Amino acid sequence: EAIKAASGGRDLGLTIASLGAAGEPGFWLKTPLVSKPGKGRVVYAGSGKEVQVDLIPIEGPKTAGSRMSLAALRLIDAPLAGLAEVRVFALE
């Protein structure tokens, strides 16, 4: 049974996020944790902040890394030039 987060959503797990295409606007996370597009939220423990994002599937094992939009990384105060471990939730 999936764990329900305090702010809602189905816990998809942790992923290591890096900066995606900096010129691509919006709030999104391209991740192998999903198999179809949907709405979600990402929590960065380093700052305690979260952001709602569009979840976009990419190929790869679920343990592979993810790519996050510049706008989303900025909002959660994650490092832009490094890697951030984030928890991903699917909003249904």
Side-chain angles (χ1 to χ4, degrees), residues 50-86:
E50 64 180 67
V51 61
Q52 288 194 3
V53 295
D54 291 320
L55 297 174
I56 302 166
I58 58 174
E59 294 293 321
K62 296 210 180 287
T63 56
S66 301
R67 297 183 298 274
M68 190 180 296
S69 69
L70 178 61
L73 283 171
R74 282 184 173 160
L75 194 64
I76 61 173
D77 290 333
L80 302 181
L83 302 174
E85 184 178 66
V86 296

Side-chain angles (χ1 to χ4, degrees), residues 3 5 11 17 19 26 30 34 37 39-40 46-47 54-55 57 60 79 86 88 91:
I3 298 169
D11 187 348
L19 176 62
K30 294 181 180 181
V34 295
K39 298 293 183 185
S47 66
D54 291 320
L55 297 174
V86 296
V88 182
L91 301 177

Side-chain angles (χ1 to χ4, degrees), residues 2-6 8-17 29 31 33 40-46 49-53 55 66 68 76 78 84-91:
I3 298 169
K4 292 286 185 177
R10 183 170 42 92
D11 187 348
L12 300 178
L14 293 169
T15 189
I16 302 297
L29 178 71
T31 181
L33 294 177
R41 68 183 180 91
V42 173
V43 179
Y44 178 50
K49 295 183 178 182
E50 64 180 67
V51 61
Q52 288 194 3
V53 295
L55 297 174
S66 301
M68 190 180 296
I76 61 173
E85 184 178 66
V86 296
R87 183 162 296 277
V88 182
F89 297 89
L91 301 177

